[in-house]
């Protein structure tokens, strides 16, 4: 069996380097190309040396179309605009596109769904087994507990993170909303300041903390009268997200065109 040939985009960033290491450490996969933006100081550098896993003989390039033509899949933790661009290129090349990008605005993902009509896309706000298992538990808890239990999502990340709430927090909030059979967009509360009035029954609240080097901590609270249930996940190593992305690519390699999630990859869908 031949190795799955993978491209890493945004290869000089923290997640890009983690992805290069994860592919290198995974049997059945190998890095065939790495992409950075035009003008990056890292263009021409060896991807393995930059990632700290030894020389790979793969130089960082800005030529995504040529790279995609050599590959079976692309791993993408970049920005929404870049991911939309890469989705079209991946669909044109007929390769798997794994997207861990967060910070999407409402309706911004529409081009991804269009691309998924002729491509295999796996997208998730979090690629770890633990978080996706947590989401499944939250959905069941929300189904079992009525509106007498208020739902709050608390998350903390490092000080360099640019989007809030995190993609993981939104993934968990969406799981709670699905369990309650409500629209998260219509029932989420993103900020509270001043005289806000009493909490509306059935709303799902979000609280965001930023500081230091925290990789990711998420807690979903079900607060009832006289009791509280808290479900928590703490990420201690960014590498777990990268390993999950590689797992997703390998899983999708023999699938038909469609838009998939990590819940599909891990067999957690209903």
């Amino acid at each position: 069996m031949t190795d799955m040939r993978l491209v890493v985009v945004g290869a000089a960033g923290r997640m890009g380097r983690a992805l290069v290491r994860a592919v290198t450490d995974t049997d059945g996969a190998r890095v065939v190309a790495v992409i950075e933006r035009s003008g990056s100081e890292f263009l021409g550098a060896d991807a393995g040396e930059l990632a700290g896993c030894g020389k790979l003989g793969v130089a960082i390039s800005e030529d995504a179309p040529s790279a995609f033509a050599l590959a079976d899949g692309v791993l993408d933790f970049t920005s929404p605009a870049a991911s939309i661009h890469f989705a079209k290129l991946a669909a044109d090349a007929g390769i798997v596109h794994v997207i861990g990008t967060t910070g999407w605005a409402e309706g911004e993902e529409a081009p991804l769904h269009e691309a998924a009509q002729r491509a295999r896309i796996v997208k998730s706000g979090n690629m770890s087994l633990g978080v996706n298992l947590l989401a499944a538990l939250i959905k069941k808890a929300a189904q079992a507990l009525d509106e007498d239990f208020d739902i709050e999502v608390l998350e903390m990340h490092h000080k360099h993170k640019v989007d809030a709430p995190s993609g993981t927090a939104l993934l968990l909030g969406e799981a709670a909303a699905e369990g309650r059979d409500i629209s998260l967009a219509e029932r989420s509360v993103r900020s509270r300041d001043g005289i806000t009035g009493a909490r509306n029954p059935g709303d799902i609240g979000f609280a965001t903390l930023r500081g230091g080097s925290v990789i990711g901590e998420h807690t979903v609270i079900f607060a009832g009268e006289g009791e509280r249930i808290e479900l928590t996940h703490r990420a201690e190593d960014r590498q777990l997200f990268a390993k999950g992305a590689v797992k997703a690519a390998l899983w999708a390699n023999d699938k038909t065109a469609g838009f998939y999630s990590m819940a599909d990859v891990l067999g957690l869908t209903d």
Side-chain angles (χ1 to χ4, degrees), residues 98-233:
V98 176
I99 305 173
T101 301
T102 60
W104 297 87
E106 186 175 353
E108 196 174 11
E109 296 182 15
L112 303 183
H113 290 275
E114 293 176 9
Q117 294 177 17
R118 57 194 179 96
R120 294 149 291 166
I121 292 179
V122 181
K123 180 182 179 298
S124 179
N126 192 295
M127 296 285 176
S128 82
L129 169 61
V131 162
N132 285 278
L133 178 58
L134 178 63
L137 295 173
I138 287 166
K139 181 177 178 180
K140 290 186 178 298
Q143 288 172 332
L145 302 171
D146 61 22
E147 288 188 355
D148 288 339
F149 281 81
D150 301 317
I151 302 175
E152 294 285 318
V153 182
L154 172 65
E155 57 107 339
M156 183 170 185
H157 282 82
H158 55 85
K159 61 186 176 183
H160 301 293
K161 188 168 179 60
V162 298
D163 58 303
S166 70
T168 303
L170 294 172
L171 182 153
L172 299 177
E174 189 62 53
E178 288 177 6
R180 288 274 173 91
D181 195 24
I182 60 176
S183 166
L184 183 64
E186 295 175 1
R187 303 301 299 272
S188 67
V189 177
R190 303 293 182 86
S191 64
R192 298 185 178 103
D193 186 40
I195 307 301
T196 63
R199 189 186 198 284
N200 292 322
D203 282 351
I204 297 175
F206 290 83
T208 298
L209 306 177
R210 294 287 180 268
S213 59
V214 176
I215 292 173
E217 295 185 3
H218 298 82
T219 297
V220 177
I221 303 167
F222 293 86
E225 292 294 331
E227 60 180 333
R228 186 170 69 244
I229 301 165
E230 298 182 3
L231 300 173
T232 297
H233 179 272

Side-chain angles (χ1 to χ4, degrees), residues 231-248:
L231 300 173
T232 297
H233 179 272
R234 295 184 177 90
E236 299 176 351
D237 187 348
R238 188 173 281 107
Q239 207 62 30
L240 68 93
F241 308 128
K243 291 178 180 177
V246 178
K247 182 182 180 72

